[in-house]
């Protein structure tokens, strides 16, 4: 292939790639999808590194998905004059984050801990703390190259819908295929895409299509049931529960000894979900 043929092939390939991506982006925007950021370890780490602000300048939040939805960050910052540092994690217990901040001698700020009983006092500690522990390890090993990449990614993600990998990557789209569960194999239920959008400050929100569609809402309620949220098996008791409280108190004492403040909040739940929580906890 001569040089001119190679250039033509390269330009044609570039044109096809750009046309495909532009078409995909236009399709998603036409469907009404807003900009949503990947809630990954890099985004979490960019927030984790900012926890060293004075207590009267910022409040750190840890917890599960409820505080990521129920806290409206712009409203909080407008009313209090404080910045929000959102470190909560969907589907996980915040206890590893509390351990991490308690062990960090440079953290002396204000911490709000959101309690979702099924996760905070989870029966399966390995499952409920897996992701939060992974994010902590990523932060501790966060390289300068990864930090630079996070800045670049944030800038690009702010302009394109299709870059939200948790919704529009090939693997995620394949998860939508209606494949039945097989013996010994559990396919995680597919969440409606409009249910979990994410701002650059890590606030979760539901898009307008989801909030106006009762069918999608019903699907999401069924998903929680499939994931065991309505399980009424008794929670931890006895020495196991006592050890949890000792662990929490020890961590709070460390933070308060440095001049920090720790508060707890129990964000609301209702319906069958709330009934299960009352029965178990």
């Amino acid at each position: 292939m001569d040089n001119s043929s190679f250039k033509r092939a390269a330009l044609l390939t570039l044109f096809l790639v750009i046309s495909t991506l532009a078409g995909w982006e236009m399709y998603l925007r036409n469907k009404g999808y807003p900009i949503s950021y990947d809630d990954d370890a890099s985004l979490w780490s960019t927030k984790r590194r900012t926890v060293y602000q004075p207590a009267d300048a910022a409040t750190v939040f840890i917890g599960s998905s409820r505080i990521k939805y129920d806290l409206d960050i712009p409203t909080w910052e407008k009313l209090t004059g404080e910045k929000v540092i959102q470190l909560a994690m969907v589907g996980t217990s915040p206890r590893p984050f509390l351990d991490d901040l308690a062990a960090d001698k440079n953290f002396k700020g204000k911490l709000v801990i959101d309690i979702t009983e099924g996760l905070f006092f989870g029966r399966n500690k390995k499952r409920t703390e897996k992701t939060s522990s992974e994010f902590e390890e990523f932060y501790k090993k966060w390289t300068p190259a990864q930090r630079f990449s996070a800045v670049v990614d944030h800038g690009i993600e702010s302009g394109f819908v299709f870059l939200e990998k948790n919704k529009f990557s090939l693997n995620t789209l394949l998860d939508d295929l209606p494949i039945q569960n097989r013996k010994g194999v559990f396919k995680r239920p597919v969440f409606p895409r409009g249910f979990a959008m994410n701002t650059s400050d890590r606030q979760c929100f539901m898009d307008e299509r989801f909030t106006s569609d009762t069918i999608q809402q019903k699907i999401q309620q069924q998903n929680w049931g499939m994931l065991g949220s309505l399980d009424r098996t008794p929670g931890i008791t006895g020495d196991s529960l006592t050890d949890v409280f000792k662990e929490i108190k020890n961590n709070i004492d460390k933070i308060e000894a440095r001049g920090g403040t720790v508060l707890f909040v129990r964000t609301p739940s209702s319906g069958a979900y709330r009934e299960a929580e009352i029965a178990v906890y």
Side-chain angles (χ1 to χ4, degrees):
M1 179 182 291
D2 58 33
N3 195 43
S4 61
S5 297
F6 178 80
K7 287 182 178 180
R8 285 196 297 271
L11 289 173
L12 178 59
T13 301
L14 180 62
F15 172 77
L16 291 174
V17 170
I18 293 176
S19 297
T20 300
L21 294 179
W24 182 227
E25 178 71 13
M26 292 173 62
Y27 171 80
L28 294 175
R29 287 181 179 266
N30 186 58
K31 287 288 187 179
Y33 290 110
I35 294 292
S36 180
Y37 293 80
D38 289 334
D39 194 14
D40 56 13
S42 288
L43 183 58
W44 186 87
S45 296
T46 62
K47 306 304 176 185
R48 171 61 179 83
R49 68 184 303 196
T50 65
V51 303
Y52 306 108
Q53 301 179 52
D56 60 352
T59 301
V60 180
F61 289 83
I62 60 175
S64 308
S65 59
R66 290 182 194 172
I67 197 64
K68 289 196 79 211
Y69 282 95
D70 291 355
L71 174 68
D72 186 84
I73 293 177
T75 301
W76 175 280
E77 293 182 342
K78 180 180 178 180
L79 292 175
T80 66
E82 301 174 0
K83 295 295 293 181
V84 166
I85 302 171
Q86 180 59 275
L87 298 182
M89 180 65 56
V90 172
T92 68
S93 169
R95 281 163 48 199
F97 294 153
L98 177 58
D99 291 343
D100 175 51
L101 292 171
D104 188 339
K105 296 180 179 180
N106 294 317
F107 176 69
K108 306 172 184 179
K110 183 163 51 185
L111 176 66
V112 175
I113 305 173
D114 177 58
I115 304 298
T116 298
E117 294 92 341
L119 293 169
F120 196 87
F121 300 104
R123 308 178 189 93
N124 187 339
K125 181 176 180 180
K126 184 177 181 180
R127 178 180 64 82
T128 58
E129 298 186 4
K130 181 177 184 293
T131 305
S132 47
S133 297
E134 288 174 350
F135 275 38
E136 284 178 4
E137 287 303 309
F138 179 90
Y139 173 72
K140 293 173 182 177
K141 300 175 182 178
W142 205 23
T143 66
Q146 289 172 324
R147 295 182 186 183
F148 176 75
S149 179
V151 174
V152 174
D153 288 346
H154 183 276
I156 297 175
E157 281 184 274
S158 66
F160 296 98
V161 174
F162 77 88
L163 290 176
E164 224 287 36
K165 65 183 180 182
N166 291 323
K167 291 182 175 61
F168 304 118
S169 67
L170 180 58
N171 285 340
T172 304
L173 294 172
L174 289 174
D175 284 340
D176 288 353
L177 295 176
I179 301 173
Q180 297 296 318
N181 288 330
R182 304 188 308 277
K183 184 177 181 180
V185 178
F186 174 72
K187 182 177 183 292
R188 184 180 178 86
V190 177
F191 285 20
R193 287 195 177 85
F195 168 68
M197 315 306 286
N198 203 61
T199 70
S200 59
D201 287 326
R202 301 193 67 252
Q203 176 177 320
C204 284
F205 66 98
M206 305 171 196
D207 70 18
E208 294 180 358
R209 295 173 311 122
F210 180 85
T211 57
S212 62
D213 188 338
T214 56
I215 295 177
Q216 290 192 56
Q217 294 167 22
K218 187 67 174 178
I219 290 172
Q220 185 55 36
Q221 291 167 4
Q222 293 171 347
N223 284 341
W224 284 322
M226 293 174 63
L227 291 172
S229 300
L230 307 183
D231 182 4
R232 299 198 178 198
T233 304
I236 59 173
T237 58
D239 290 342
S240 296
L241 184 58
T242 300
D243 289 343
V244 169
F245 283 122
K246 288 180 179 178
E247 167 199 315
I248 294 168
K249 185 180 185 304
N250 181 52
N251 285 330
I252 292 173
D253 289 345
K254 289 180 181 178
I255 294 173
E256 291 183 339
R258 300 194 293 262
T261 304
V262 180
L263 305 95
F264 289 85
V265 62
R266 202 281 180 186
T267 42
S269 58
S270 62
Y273 208 119
R274 179 60 178 150
E275 291 172 7
E277 290 169 333
I278 292 172
V280 177
Y281 298 99

